[in-house]
Amino acid sequence: MAAVTLAALGSDSRHGRLDPRSPDPEGSRAVAELLRARGVGTRVVTTAREAAEAAGPRTTVLVAHPDRLGPAQHRALRSAIDLSGGRTVLLAPGGTALDALAPAVHTAGTAYEAALAPACTLPAAATAGRADTGSGHRYTTTARGAQACYPSGGHPTLLVLPSATAGGDTVVLGSETALLNRTLAAEGNASLALQLLGTRPDLVWYLPSPADQQDTEGDTADRSFLDLVPAGWSWALLQLVLAAALAALWRARRLGPLVAERLPVAIRASEATEGRARLYRRADARDRAATVLRAASRERLAALVGVPSAHTHDPAVLLPAVSARLTDPPGRDLTALLFGPPPADDAALVALADHLDALEREVRTS
């Protein structure tokens, strides 16, 4: 057994949890190899339709994740369970899956112990002895002829239910642990897995694909948003909401009266202009002052003559428009006035400002 297990785990292929092709610790390739050594063939299917079509007296159908299926998939499997005459193994089904696939069984809380004693006369359980059937669901059942094994707190974690067709049965296993690669060699897990899955020559391992987990008949349209949230996320979302509310309350707290804030001193525009002019004069920045004066004049002139703002500082566009508004354009050197070099001295700077003012007045009154 150890050699087969090591061979199964030595492959480099990677699949998902409970996949009989996966050598990962959470996979189930080891049990598939042990079954193959005993003449039981394992075939993986990914849709409920394939699983139902493969069901028969010589077949065991293992449903790996029954709680992920929708009503349409549950109906297809239930029909196979009732009519096939083979064995169906449901791994850790919850309340919704049980209502659809094994309505005589109900959950009875969680079995917190991992390894449990069989405490029943089922040959498979008696041979295996203690096994890791705990750490999952416990069940109650009203089905006649049901065999209940591996109890925890008085409720079984393994049930074998006879089906409506002679020779068929349904196994409800409360935990997936016994089938995983990492725990197969512990306790009597390997023996229990082989006896539960190896009673027929063919094993159909149903791993629902993401597409098959969506109900194809539109039943999910009636589900609310909370119904679509995976188990456990609702509590996490509630904790996040409470944390956000506490943070908002903390940041919004006021522990006293409002504090009056002194506003900055208001400065008149004329004083700001004079202060800026003094700075230019102290730095002897006639070129910078002339540039500011000309740019401001060009912007005001462009607005007066209808030149777009994108062409305000383009001589080829602005000068013809301004010239058209003047009474004696030939006598004006608008290029030197609006785009010329910086003045040589303070007197020239003052004269430039006067000429710009005069030009603006003339354009405004034309």
Side-chain angles (χ1 to χ4, degrees), residues 314-353:
D314 185 357
V317 178
L318 181 63
L319 293 179
V322 173
S323 298
R325 300 287 293 272
L326 301 178
T327 57
D328 55 346
R332 303 280 185 93
D333 188 0
L334 297 180
T335 302
L337 181 59
L338 294 173
F339 297 95
D345 50 30
D346 291 345
L349 179 62
V350 173
L352 173 63

Side-chain angles (χ1 to χ4, degrees), residues 182-208:
R182 61 178 173 82
T183 53
L184 186 65
E187 301 290 349
N189 295 345
S191 175
L192 182 64
L194 292 177
Q195 294 183 80
L196 292 180
L197 304 181
T199 58
R200 273 78 172 171
D202 298 316
L203 172 61
V204 175
W205 201 295
Y206 174 29
L207 287 172

Side-chain angles (χ1 to χ4, degrees), residues 4 6 93 140 162:
V4 175
L6 291 175
T140 62

